[in-house]
Amino acid sequence: MASSDNPEVLERGVKDKEDEKDEQKGGFLDKVKDFIQDIGEKIEETIGFGKPTADVTEIHLPHINLEKADIVVDILVTNPNPIPIPLIDINYSIESDGRKLVSGLIPDAGTIHAHGSETVKIPLCLIYDDIKATYDDIKPGSIIPYKIKVDLIVDVPVFGRITIPLEKTGEIPIPYKPDVDIDKIHFEKFSFEETVANLHVKLENKNDFDMKLNDLDYELWLCGVSIGGAELTQSAKIEKNGISYIDIPITFRPKDCGSALWDMIRGKGTGYTMKGNIHVETPFGVMKLPIIKEGGTTTLKKKKEDGGDDDDDEE
């Protein structure tokens, strides 16, 4: 019976030794890991490696018209490390109410200098036709919310590749061209050779935002004859979804109008076409919007004080 017990004693002894070796091995590995981590932390503290930080500081709309909006996102990136770090990729997207409007990737976006901060500019572009083709409920003249998402991917020693996610929200307009009409023409000085007059122009703002009219460039045709254009002598505020009237001085030669001159003299309707652009300030920046009116009809009148039958107080 004693001889049959020996294998059991031997078997238990081998197992105990194996467990002891595993414990020693595990303890050794843990010590190695702790040592490496401790050395890494000391190297990091000594050399000064750290994770970079970033923040969206500003969003510009340098150019916006009826076709597109150019957007520039300024991101301030701070590198606390003693060596430059590469900005590997920039992923970006713009969405509105959870719907993606545009997205893209900027590879090899540059290098951030050691112990420094730099502003990285990310140019984006919204093409309105693409947006309206995809989301037909987004109407011209409206203002839509947006969320810009940016992922900066950098490569930092000790840490490796790091992704820095950023977000910024705001609003952006979908501009709509204003309606223009020449309500009437007051002439100050009338002769066949030269007539000095004022165009009484009606501008209707069909946008959900106010506009301040600063300037306009245009060409005007009366009775099919181009009489050129003139400079705006006054600014005007056009409230959102509102109407404003402005006076524009012009000088032209009625004799160039041919047979239509007699209709003008009799006070009958005078055909006109007006094409050009208005330059306005908006809450979203400066815009240049087209004005087009073809096949319009207006009247040429004297003021009451000059013997005419027109009254400026009609409006």
Side-chain angles (χ1 to χ4, degrees):
M1 294 295 295
S3 61
S4 63
D5 293 337
N6 287 337
E8 295 181 9
V9 174
L10 180 60
E11 185 177 343
R12 285 196 297 271
V14 171
K15 190 175 185 303
D16 291 340
K17 287 181 181 180
E18 288 177 352
D19 292 341
E20 184 178 350
K21 285 182 181 179
D22 289 341
E23 290 177 3
Q24 290 176 354
K25 184 178 180 181
F28 175 74
L29 291 176
D30 290 338
K31 289 179 181 180
V32 169
K33 289 179 181 178
D34 292 340
F35 175 76
I36 292 174
Q37 183 177 354
D38 184 58
I39 291 296
E41 290 176 354
K42 290 184 180 300
I43 291 175
E44 181 182 334
E45 292 174 2
T46 303
I47 300 179
F49 281 112
K51 295 181 179 180
T53 58
D55 186 38
V56 178
T57 57
E58 195 167 356
I59 294 178
H60 309 273
L61 293 172
H63 184 261
I64 186 168
N65 57 26
L66 296 184
E67 289 77 36
K68 66 177 183 176
D70 292 327
I71 305 172
V72 177
V73 183
D74 287 352
I75 297 179
L76 183 65
V77 184
T78 300
N79 176 19
N81 300 293
I83 60 172
I85 59 171
L87 186 51
I88 300 173
D89 290 322
I90 299 176
N91 292 306
Y92 65 84
S93 67
I94 304 178
E95 61 182 44
S96 179
D97 292 330
R99 300 178 297 184
K100 185 176 291 185
L101 304 180
V102 66
S103 63
L105 168 69
I106 303 175
D108 301 325
T111 301
I112 310 301
H113 295 300
H115 292 307
S117 296
E118 294 183 35
T119 297
V120 177
K121 294 184 177 293
I122 303 176
L124 312 174
C125 184
L126 288 179
I127 307 296
Y128 292 131
D129 281 348
D130 293 345
I131 295 174
K132 289 179 284 189
T134 305
Y135 309 110
D136 57 7
D137 60 318
I138 296 180
K139 303 299 183 183
S142 61
I143 299 173
I144 62 172
Y146 71 78
K147 179 186 289 185
I148 294 179
K149 294 182 178 181
V150 177
D151 286 337
L152 301 178
I153 303 174
V154 296
D155 194 356
V156 184
V158 177
F159 296 100
R161 288 197 175 193
I162 296 175
T163 298
I164 306 174
L166 301 169
E167 287 188 2
K168 193 74 170 181
T169 59
E171 291 182 327
I172 194 167
I174 311 294
Y176 192 61
K177 65 181 179 66
D179 275 354
V180 60
D181 280 300
I182 299 179
D183 185 53
K184 50 198 164 190
I185 302 176
H186 290 142
F187 65 84
E188 308 291 337
K189 171 189 171 185
F190 186 86
S191 72
F192 291 140
E193 292 297 328
E194 182 181 76
T195 289
V196 179
N198 277 312
L199 304 178
H200 195 53
V201 178
K202 172 185 173 183
L203 284 173
E204 182 178 0
N205 179 10
K206 294 190 172 183
N207 295 283
D208 290 337
F209 52 88
D210 295 342
M211 300 190 303
K212 180 184 177 184
L213 176 63
N214 289 331
D215 193 13
L216 80 160
D217 57 85
Y218 72 94
E219 187 172 3
L220 178 67
W221 290 261
L222 285 178
C223 311
V225 177
S226 173
I227 62 172
E231 293 183 358
L232 181 69
T233 59
Q234 62 180 0
S235 61
K237 180 181 178 181
I238 314 175
E239 295 184 353
K240 63 180 181 180
N241 300 307
I243 296 174
S244 181
Y245 291 88
I246 60 172
D247 288 326
I248 306 173
I250 61 168
T251 300
F252 66 100
R253 298 176 4 137
K255 71 177 186 178
D256 292 338
C257 296
S259 60
L261 169 64
W262 305 111
D263 289 335
M264 295 171 62
I265 293 175
R266 296 188 187 100
K268 294 184 177 180
T270 301
Y272 75 90
T273 295
M274 189 176 190
K275 295 181 181 181
N277 301 280
I278 62 172
H279 304 260
V280 295
E281 292 180 22
T282 75
F284 308 96
V286 176
M287 296 185 192
K288 179 181 178 181
L289 301 176
I291 51 173
I292 301 174
K293 180 68 175 184
E294 296 180 294
T297 302
T298 188
T299 54
L300 184 66
K301 296 182 177 181
K302 288 184 179 181
K303 294 183 179 179
K304 274 190 172 181
E305 58 266 30
D306 295 326
D309 59 357
D310 191 39
D311 189 349
D312 281 339
D313 297 329
E314 289 177 0
E315 264 63 76

